[in-house]
Amino acid sequence: MDGGPAPMNASLRRQLSGWIALVTIISGIAAGGCSFFLAFREAQELQDDQLQQVALLVGRSDKTVEPWAGITKAEERHDPDARIIIIPLGTPIPAGQTTQITRPVIPPDLPEGLQTIDSQGETWRLFVRTLPSGLRIAVGQPTAVRNETARGSGLRTLVPVLLLVPFLSLLTAWLVRRSLAPVASLSRQLDQRDDTNLTTLPEGGVPKEIRPFVTSINGLMQRLDDTLAQQRRFIADAAHELRSPLTALTLQAENLERSDQPQERGERLRHLKEGLARTRSLLDQLLSLARQQSSAVPAVEFRLDRLVQQVLEDVMPMAAAKGIDLGCERLEEVVVNAPADALAILMRNAVDNAVRYTPAGGIVDVELYREEGRVVFQVADNGRGIPSGEEERIFEPFYRVIGTDETGSGLGLAIVRSIADRLGGTVSLRNREGVAGALFRYLYPPG
């Protein structure tokens, strides 16, 4: 392993942390803005209520309202919230009365209620009320003072939210890192393994959302382990199968070299050629199996029934040499979309196997038709059949049925199974019911 999963997990962690932090920041800013706006507005409303309460208190007092109330004692203690004026409307201010607050010029006909006016370069918020005595008064504050108070109130609600945003971002990064810790642990385990260690990954402690992914990886590793085990067995069997004919060929060559009689040399040369032909056939089968297991052939649309006829023509000479009746009981017109070469090898090996293990004078029947939406290709013979319990083993590489005189590589049906697994569908070889012989059957899915 080269450490590839670690950057992937780090990138996933950064992406999750970044997106969550971005959402947190945007949400925090939006929440802070809303909080500031609501606090600012609430402070303004409270100050409006304060003006109204002062006007009500003035109306309940029996004292005469002076033309200018001036600044309150609280203002002298540097309390800007207390900078409130009380002005009787339509009453002149005595010439000798002074105040620390600039007096606004208020129109005497100003409507009752809350009003905002501009006077002498300053904006005022006023509450105008008519007292029971008939005197109209205005209670007011400069809006600059009000806004400063409202901003202070809004900032006091905004600051905690803004301080919470970076804390939540750091907390989110920590939580994401902690949540992905099992994935990082699995990555380290995979990174420390060598190419031969295909044991399954532990699923304990893995988050429920990631567990199906780990289960799929374990399934894949199990299939890889099975495939590698089959390849190891195949290589061992191939080495054994090649060693025997090569040893025999070596002995035949040595015997041919020592022979002096022309007739004897001719006989030994014939055996040598037959051995070479069998070895070449074995190598061809090995190469064919390797190609079928590794190559991907594009599919084409063609008439499968014509391919069956061509296969029968190819096998006919061997069937005629043994006196076997080879023919078609049922041959329907079938169009498929599949790799033609692969299906040709599958059919040829199936028919060749039936002819090879059918005794002289026997019968081999081939059928091609559609059944329940699938293509059915089957080969029936009247030979010895399959020994009980070996229906699946006959598809293993280099396996041969014991007790037969036929020679072969033992790869024909293994190639058939390999092609069927790659193309889809099911393949089987069983004894026929009620009569002697075997029945090969391949169900090809609809194209």
Side-chain angles (χ1 to χ4, degrees):
M1 300 290 179
D2 58 359
M8 179 188 68
N9 290 332
S11 175
L12 177 61
R13 184 167 60 246
R14 285 196 300 269
Q15 289 182 19
L16 287 176
S17 301
W19 279 109
I20 296 177
L22 179 62
V23 172
T24 302
I25 293 173
I26 294 176
S27 302
I29 293 175
C34 292
S35 177
F36 178 84
F37 173 77
L38 294 175
F40 185 89
R41 183 175 179 180
E42 183 177 2
Q44 294 277 14
E45 292 175 352
L46 288 175
Q47 292 179 101
D48 287 341
D49 292 340
Q50 185 181 18
L51 297 178
Q52 296 180 44
Q53 291 173 5
V54 171
L56 290 174
L57 290 174
V58 171
R60 293 175 182 176
S61 175
D62 295 333
K63 297 181 179 180
T64 303
V65 179
E66 297 181 359
W68 182 258
I71 196 167
T72 66
K73 295 296 184 181
E75 173 66 16
E76 295 177 354
R77 297 193 299 269
H78 306 289
D79 184 2
D81 293 342
R83 190 180 179 188
I84 299 177
I85 62 170
I86 304 174
I87 302 177
L89 299 183
T91 303
I93 298 175
Q97 188 173 0
T98 61
T99 179
Q100 298 179 13
I101 304 177
T102 304
R103 181 178 67 85
V105 177
I106 304 175
D109 58 347
L110 193 67
E112 292 194 6
L114 291 169
Q115 309 291 337
T116 302
I117 66 171
D118 293 326
S119 176
Q120 298 181 359
E122 192 173 13
T123 304
W124 292 79
R125 181 69 168 172
L126 303 175
F127 179 73
V128 180
R129 181 173 184 264
T130 302
L131 301 181
S133 62
L135 179 65
R136 301 180 73 239
I137 64 171
V139 181
Q141 276 183 309
T143 57
V145 175
R146 292 165 53 89
N147 292 339
E148 181 180 354
T149 302
R151 278 194 296 270
S153 177
L155 288 175
R156 283 191 292 273
T157 61
L158 176 61
V159 170
V161 176
L162 295 180
L163 292 178
L164 187 62
V165 168
F167 172 75
L168 288 178
S169 299
L170 294 176
L171 179 62
T172 297
W174 180 80
L175 289 175
V176 170
R177 185 182 184 90
R178 182 179 179 87
S179 300
L180 293 178
V183 181
S185 176
L186 292 177
S187 294
R188 287 191 296 270
Q189 293 182 35
L190 287 174
D191 196 41
Q192 294 170 0
R193 290 185 178 187
D194 56 27
D195 297 338
T196 60
N197 187 356
L198 295 176
T199 56
T200 57
L201 296 172
E203 298 184 11
V206 178
K208 182 174 63 176
E209 292 79 7
I210 303 178
R211 193 169 301 160
F213 179 68
V214 177
T215 303
S216 299
I217 291 179
N218 287 337
L220 175 61
M221 295 181 72
Q222 184 62 49
R223 293 192 296 272
L224 286 175
D225 191 31
D226 295 341
T227 301
L228 290 176
Q230 292 177 0
Q231 290 181 351
R232 287 191 291 269
R233 289 196 302 269
F234 175 78
I235 292 173
D237 293 340
H240 175 74
E241 292 294 328
L242 286 172
R243 185 184 298 115
S244 298
L246 289 176
T247 302
L249 289 174
T250 302
L251 293 176
Q252 290 174 4
E254 292 176 353
N255 292 334
L256 179 62
E257 185 179 14
R258 290 194 298 268
S259 177
D260 295 331
Q261 300 296 327
Q263 184 177 358
E264 184 180 359
R265 289 175 64 89
E267 184 66 19
R268 291 180 177 177
L269 181 60
R270 183 178 63 82
H271 289 306
L272 180 60
K273 290 180 178 180
E274 292 176 352
L276 288 172
R278 287 193 297 270
T279 304
R280 184 179 64 182
S281 176
L282 175 60
L283 291 174
D284 290 341
Q285 292 283 60
L286 285 172
L287 291 175
S288 178
L289 179 59
R291 283 195 299 268
Q292 295 304 320
Q293 291 179 340
S294 61
S295 62
V297 181
V300 295
E301 188 173 286
F302 65 98
R303 289 270 300 273
L304 188 59
D305 53 303
R306 293 179 179 174
L307 183 60
V308 172
Q309 293 176 346
Q310 181 180 345
V311 168
L312 294 179
E313 293 175 0
D314 294 340
V315 184
M316 190 64 70
M318 183 174 66
K322 296 182 63 174
I324 293 176
D325 181 9
L326 174 62
C328 286
E329 285 290 321
R330 183 179 180 183
L331 186 62
E332 297 181 358
E333 180 178 328
V334 176
V335 178
V336 296
N337 189 3
D341 293 340
L343 281 178
I345 295 174
L346 182 149
M347 294 176 176
R348 185 178 295 107
N349 283 359
V351 177
D352 179 89
N353 184 78
V355 172
R356 187 180 300 276
Y357 289 97
T358 298
I363 301 174
V364 174
D365 290 327
V366 178
E367 296 185 44
L368 178 70
Y369 57 92
R370 286 188 178 272
E371 181 180 74
E372 298 180 354
R374 294 182 297 180
V375 178
V376 180
F377 172 74
Q378 66 180 29
V379 182
D381 63 67
N382 62 347
R384 298 177 56 181
I386 310 299
S388 178
E390 299 186 7
E391 289 83 356
E392 287 299 321
R393 292 195 61 193
I394 56 178
F395 289 102
E396 296 178 0
F398 305 109
Y399 179 79
R400 300 184 184 90
V401 177
I402 300 176
T404 60
D405 298 330
E406 291 295 329
T407 61
S409 63
L411 293 173
L413 292 180
I415 295 174
V416 168
R417 169 62 63 85
S418 176
I419 295 174
D421 290 342
R422 185 162 57 87
L423 298 183
T426 58
V427 61
S428 63
L429 183 58
R430 299 286 188 269
N431 289 326
R432 299 172 66 182
E433 296 181 1
V435 294
L439 176 65
F440 172 87
R441 189 177 175 89
Y442 174 55
L443 302 179
Y444 183 71

